[in-house]
Amino acid sequence: MKNILLKINLILLLVSFTAFGQDYAKADEIVRDYPKSFSDTDKLAGLINKDFKRDDEKARAIFTWIATNVKYDLAAYGVNERPVGFSYSTQQEKIEKQKKLEYDLALKTLRSRRGVCQGYSTLYKILAEKTGLEAVIVTGTSKSHPAHIGKMPGASDHAWNAVKIDGQWKLLDVTFGAGAVSGNPPVFQFRFNDKYFFTDPKVFFLNHYPDDEKWLFTQATAGDFANLPLYYGNYHMGGYEFLTPAMGTYTAKPSVLTFKVKNLKPEDRLAYAFSRERIFREIVPVRNGDTAEFQVPLSAVSAGTLTIYVNQKSAVAYRIEKP
């Protein structure tokens, strides 16, 4: 009897590992062949229900379709996040009106294939519900710009999702997963980043602080969040880890910052630049096993933002204050 139970437990462990350890390449391939536009959420949800049976694959399919087809709407930034006022007489009427507002926003986002974070996350929630999943919209503070370094979480400026898979909540951010805004004038560029899908809460925390701390799923504080450097999407995609320095803010006085980075590939090229100088300086790190070490000198002219680049892409940024 013990042997039978042991075999059953091993099978369950293997099933669990397969479900959550895979790379979802097959699911992504199927979804990329879907139509680029839909007139209503039922049609997209119907396709997903037909092609996928496992809840985690349904969650991934929704993420991939939205992230590869909905463009961030810079012209609407700051508009959709504003709460819409409405009156109600009963709690049931309030719930019904809130559901209609969500559905209308999801449909608008789906048909226009444009939106901001509220549109992305609302569309994800509606599609999740239509495929039999339990999902919520989580509001909070994002860390996505150098100006956010050192700032405590305040008024909500972002929205993302949590979806329940086999009784466990998983975090995801389809807005960040779709691409990034860069350049002057700013332009949105699609760049699928699945590191924001089912992200480890400790990693998700680097860019997200929820209004309701129950959605943190990790032991961290608002002060911890404020003190973090800025980690760009390229950092998450790169698979490397900056071990030091751990803080996001330093003083521009004669000294050096020592960087230790794990999992850099031999071919990865490093550089840094101070925002006031705008001069890129290449770095040749000293490697010791899977850890690379280098130093960046600070001086009185270093005040502003220090950005570390990997393969000419911004990875991590720090705030350097005047002495």
Side-chain angles (χ1 to χ4, degrees), residues 98-107 122 125-126 137:
Q98 285 177 329
K99 285 184 176 179
K100 185 177 186 307
L101 286 173
E102 283 187 352
Y103 181 77
D104 289 346
L105 177 55
L107 192 60
T122 302
K125 178 176 183 287
I126 295 298
I137 299 168

Side-chain angles (χ1 to χ4, degrees), residues 8 12 44 53 65 101 111 120 123-124 195 223 226 267 269 294 299:
I8 292 174
L12 290 174
L44 176 52
K53 302 307 176 186
W65 190 90
L101 286 173
R111 289 176 174 175
Y120 279 95
L123 178 57
Y124 190 94
K195 300 302 182 183
E267 64 272 21
R269 297 177 61 189
F294 61 90
S299 68

Side-chain angles (χ1 to χ4, degrees), residues 269-300:
R269 297 177 61 189
L270 294 169
Y272 70 91
F274 292 103
S275 56
R276 289 179 63 181
E277 295 181 327
R278 299 185 180 181
I279 299 173
F280 287 81
R281 294 180 171 86
E282 290 195 8
I283 305 164
V284 179
V286 175
R287 296 179 182 270
N288 182 13
D290 65 351
T291 303
E293 184 173 334
F294 61 90
Q295 293 184 328
V296 174
L298 300 181
S299 68

